Amino acid sequence: MYVSLYRKYRPGRFDDVVGQDGIVRVLKNSLRSGRVAHAFLFSGPRGCGKTSVARILAKALNCPNSADGEPCDHCYVCNSISTGECLDVIEIDGASNRGIEEIRNLKAQIGLASFSLPYKVYIIDEVHMLTDAAFNALLKTLEEPPMQVVFVLATTEPEKVPLTIRSRCLCFYFNRLLTSDIVRRLRQVAQEEGFAFEEEALWELARQSDGSLRDALTLAEQALSLQEGNLSMESIAMLLGSTRGKIEEAIKHIPHNPPQAFVKIKEILSKGLSVERFLEMAFAVFRDMWAYKSYGKDFAVELELSDREIKFLEEESPFWKDDVLLSCMRLCGELCLQAKLGVKDDILFGLFLSQMDRVDFPSAGESPPLPLKPKAENVTESFTTAPWQEIMKQAGEEMLPLYCALICSKVTLDEKRIVIEISERRRFDFNLLKLSRNLAYLYGLITKRFNDVTEIILKCGVDEVKYSDEQEQTQMEGDAEGFRQEELPQAFEEEPQPHEEGLKPAVKLAERREVKEEDIVLQRIAMYLNGDVLMYKKLDEEENIEEDGGVEVE
């Protein structure tokens, strides 16, 4: 009878376990010293060896030929445990035996002596699937089992196991397997099975398995069925829809030939690869290029890449700037999230291509690539010089709305002009900055620190506003200078009654005097709300403030 590769090459000894050296060392030392706990909790991602290590532990406890904490894996006891025929090693599926009745049956049998082995071992897989009542029923038995009984609980979601259960177990967290470890194991299996393979195909299988050795062996078995006796990149591409090499080829065309990149990506998706998986693979490529550029060639070893993939990074990384790669990574992450929310593949594909078209690369023969075209909501580009930082600091202290508008804009120095570019999506900021009083205030801050600047230019799409020293400055430029009280009386002035016409000048003077007494309040209103005071009312001492409302601002 044919046996699947992942079952045929399941580890039978501690030395065969891949990527869990720390856990293996602890268990072997415990067995060697005879200090074995009565309950273990193995947790970790799928395919990392939890159930296999539980079986090896059962072998080591009962194997008559065990030496130095390692079972022989050849005797009758080891073979019966491997095939699941041993009556003293009971494996329970927590997903299908999750009720309180099953736990009651277990408690009724646990006190019985073992049939033939020194230890009776209960392995409960997917233990997090047990009900709350079942966990409560298991609690006392797990805390004080019979002397020759050992529990091994395995789960992929340890957070769902009650704390009262976890506190009674010796907990081990199994690591996700490294790509290099999976490649090494796949190579060993290929050599023992005697089928031809391409090294690049092993790396692709290991990467697609996402840290699960079982998944990697299953994929290898499926690929072998496509081309019998040969594990090639062609069979991997047929099985998975695409490979990292094809993704790299498509990305390689983006700086030099965008239409060809479109064709390549469309071809990849037409062969069955989902957009979500494409975005994940593209993110990995952009991430590796960024890491290669940032940390150098020596760091490529830590990325766990094949020789061909490292060569790609060497050739392609110079065409991409760090900020471009960061933006591409951010884009892939955002679109992956939208894919999980159910956005259609065609929409995600269109969004990806449209954003990639925003990348401005050099033409043939030109070197260094340009960064992304201005997109203020994604990347804030501004001066990093000390004078501009002082301007931003003062604006933040005195005119908070202006500071918020400036920090999301692109600011450049063009000869004797300061150009402030604002995204179309932030037109509110543009409308705020173009107010004459705000331009006057901003112009005053800039000219104090940039003596050569004679003009400010605001841009938002096709709209443009200019302000220079030739224009009249009518608004405030600071906390004390910027608010002109002379403009207020006209806004506050009430319509005079016929019999009060003779008192009109006096009323105006009184109103002016009252306004000036509240300079600080009105300055703060303008500073934080950036608004015009349309109505101001001074209450008499006898009036009720709650009824009249005090100072009203619209």
Side-chain angles (χ1 to χ4, degrees):
M1 180 179 177
Y2 178 76
V3 180
S4 298
L5 290 180
Y6 78 88
R7 293 179 58 192
K8 184 177 181 180
Y9 291 95
R10 182 189 290 269
R13 307 172 72 249
F14 283 123
D15 290 344
D16 298 334
V17 177
V18 177
Q20 312 296 344
D21 296 339
I23 294 174
V24 167
R25 187 180 300 112
V26 171
L27 292 177
K28 290 179 70 174
N29 289 339
S30 299
L31 291 164
R32 189 183 300 115
S33 62
R35 299 176 180 177
V36 181
H38 65 277
F40 297 86
L41 177 61
F42 293 166
S43 61
R46 70 184 192 284
C48 62
K50 301 183 294 297
T51 306
S52 297
V53 172
R55 290 182 179 179
I56 296 172
L57 177 61
K59 293 178 184 179
L61 288 170
N62 295 298
C63 178
N65 302 322
S66 63
D68 199 25
E70 187 77 78
C72 69
D73 198 33
H74 297 298
C75 65
Y76 168 77
V77 172
C78 292
N79 290 334
S80 63
I81 293 175
S82 296
T83 57
E85 299 173 354
C86 182
L87 298 178
D88 290 327
V89 178
I90 302 96
E91 293 193 32
I92 302 172
D93 178 19
S96 57
N97 300 278
R98 59 194 303 266
I100 191 172
E101 290 299 328
E102 288 79 3
I103 300 301
R104 285 175 178 169
N105 294 335
L106 183 150
K107 292 174 66 176
Q109 299 173 7
I110 199 171
L112 301 177
S114 59
F115 285 91
S116 58
L117 303 182
Y119 285 92
K120 182 184 287 189
V121 182
Y122 286 88
I123 301 174
I124 306 179
D125 203 3
E126 300 299 330
V127 70
H128 66 274
M129 297 294 291
L130 297 182
T131 63
D132 292 339
F135 274 124
N136 292 332
L138 181 64
L139 195 60
K140 187 63 178 177
T141 303
L142 189 66
E143 184 177 7
E144 296 178 357
M147 291 296 295
Q148 304 305 315
V149 173
V150 175
F151 281 97
V152 182
L153 313 180
T155 177
T156 56
E157 302 181 42
E159 67 279 359
K160 293 185 178 180
V161 179
L163 184 60
T164 51
I165 296 291
R166 282 181 279 164
S167 64
R168 288 163 170 79
C169 300
L170 195 61
C171 300
F172 292 95
Y173 184 81
F174 284 64
N175 302 318
R176 188 182 301 275
L177 300 183
L178 298 177
T179 304
S180 56
D181 290 337
I182 297 177
V183 170
R184 192 178 306 112
R185 182 61 172 170
L186 288 175
R187 189 184 299 113
Q188 179 183 354
V189 170
Q191 292 170 352
E192 292 185 12
E193 288 292 311
F195 58 79
F197 64 91
E198 296 179 11
E199 186 70 18
E200 197 65 30
L202 299 182
W203 281 94
E204 192 65 36
L205 287 174
R207 192 177 295 109
Q208 292 288 342
S209 65
D210 195 24
S212 171
L213 183 55
R214 179 174 62 240
D215 290 0
L217 289 171
T218 301
L219 289 174
E221 198 168 13
Q222 294 175 11
L224 285 171
S225 64
L226 294 174
Q227 291 185 347
E228 188 173 353
N230 184 22
L231 186 61
S232 64
M233 288 297 291
E234 183 181 355
S235 61
I236 299 297
M238 292 172 60
L239 175 66
L240 302 176
S242 185
T243 61
R244 173 166 172 143
K246 293 185 179 296
I247 302 294
E248 290 174 346
E249 185 179 354
I251 292 176
K252 190 174 183 179
H253 284 290
I254 291 178
H256 315 295
N257 192 354
Q260 184 64 20
F262 174 88
V263 173
K264 292 286 185 182
I265 296 174
K266 192 68 176 177
E267 181 182 350
I268 290 172
L269 298 178
S270 66
K271 292 185 177 179
L273 185 70
S274 67
V275 173
E276 183 179 357
R277 184 56 184 161
F278 167 78
L279 292 170
E280 292 174 355
M281 297 171 71
F283 177 88
V285 175
F286 290 132
R287 177 204 62 198
D288 293 343
M289 283 198 291
W290 174 82
Y292 186 86
K293 284 178 63 66
S294 300
Y295 304 119
K297 185 177 180 179
D298 295 338
F299 187 76
V301 179
E302 302 298 329
L303 298 176
E304 294 189 302
L305 301 174
S306 64
D307 294 339
R308 186 202 61 77
E309 292 162 351
I310 293 177
K311 184 179 180 181
F312 168 82
L313 297 182
E314 293 176 355
E315 296 175 351
E316 190 63 20
S317 295
F319 293 99
W320 298 75
K321 271 197 170 183
D322 290 346
D323 55 349
V324 174
L325 292 171
L326 290 172
S327 298
C328 292
M329 291 162 58
R330 188 181 299 111
L331 172 64
C332 292
E334 293 172 354
L335 293 181
C336 277
L337 179 59
Q338 294 182 28
K340 294 182 184 298
L341 296 176
V343 179
K344 291 185 178 180
D345 286 359
D346 287 344
I347 297 176
L348 296 173
F349 176 54
L351 289 173
F352 178 81
L353 290 178
S354 63
Q355 293 298 322
M356 286 294 102
D357 189 55
R358 291 176 59 86
V359 181
D360 195 5
F361 292 99
S363 303
E366 296 182 12
S367 56
L370 300 176
L372 282 174
K373 295 175 184 176
K375 189 177 180 184
E377 63 270 21
N378 283 344
V379 182
T380 299
E381 301 183 32
S382 186
F383 287 135
T384 56
T385 59
W388 182 256
Q389 296 302 321
E390 293 175 5
I391 291 173
M392 294 295 291
K393 181 179 179 181
Q394 185 173 346
E397 294 173 352
E398 298 178 353
M399 296 286 283
L400 190 58
L402 296 190
Y403 171 83
C404 295
L406 289 172
I407 202 167
C408 293
S409 59
K410 177 184 177 182
V411 184
T412 55
L413 177 61
D414 182 10
E415 296 181 352
K416 295 185 178 182
R417 300 179 302 174
I418 292 286
V419 181
I420 302 175
E421 298 182 41
I422 302 168
S423 170
E424 282 276 9
R425 297 183 181 180
R426 302 191 65 90
R427 184 163 287 274
F428 171 81
D429 293 339
F430 175 75
N431 294 333
L432 179 67
L433 290 172
K434 75 176 184 179
L435 295 176
S436 57
R437 64 171 180 274
N438 292 338
L439 283 175
Y441 171 78
L442 186 59
Y443 183 81
L445 292 182
I446 290 175
T447 53
K448 286 180 181 178
R449 293 168 176 82
F450 294 93
N451 297 326
D452 296 335
V453 173
T454 59
E455 188 177 34
I456 299 177
I457 301 177
L458 297 181
K459 293 183 178 181
C460 182
V462 296
D463 296 333
E464 182 176 302
V465 176
K466 297 182 179 180
Y467 190 92
S468 64
D469 54 358
E470 298 176 355
Q471 297 173 257
E472 183 180 359
Q473 300 183 19
T474 59
Q475 297 294 335
M476 68 179 195
E477 296 181 6
D479 216 5
E481 303 173 355
F483 197 85
R484 298 184 178 274
Q485 306 297 339
E486 292 79 9
E487 299 176 1
L488 292 173
Q490 186 177 357
F492 301 148
E493 193 173 23
E494 294 184 359
E495 211 173 273
Q497 300 297 328
H499 65 278
E500 294 179 344
E501 289 181 359
L503 298 177
K504 186 175 180 181
V507 172
K508 282 190 173 182
L509 289 174
E511 288 177 352
R512 286 173 182 267
R513 185 165 56 257
E514 289 175 1
V515 169
K516 289 182 179 179
E517 290 175 359
E518 306 297 336
D519 282 352
I520 296 178
V521 175
L522 297 177
Q523 288 172 7
R524 294 302 177 186
I525 291 173
M527 169 180 163
Y528 289 105
L529 301 181
N530 200 56
D532 295 318
V533 180
L534 302 182
M535 184 172 67
Y536 172 83
K537 183 177 181 180
K538 177 86 171 178
L539 294 178
D540 294 335
E541 295 180 359
E542 298 179 357
E543 290 187 78
N544 190 336
I545 294 180
E546 294 183 359
E547 293 179 358
D548 293 335
V551 177
E552 298 181 19
V553 179
E554 294 184 1

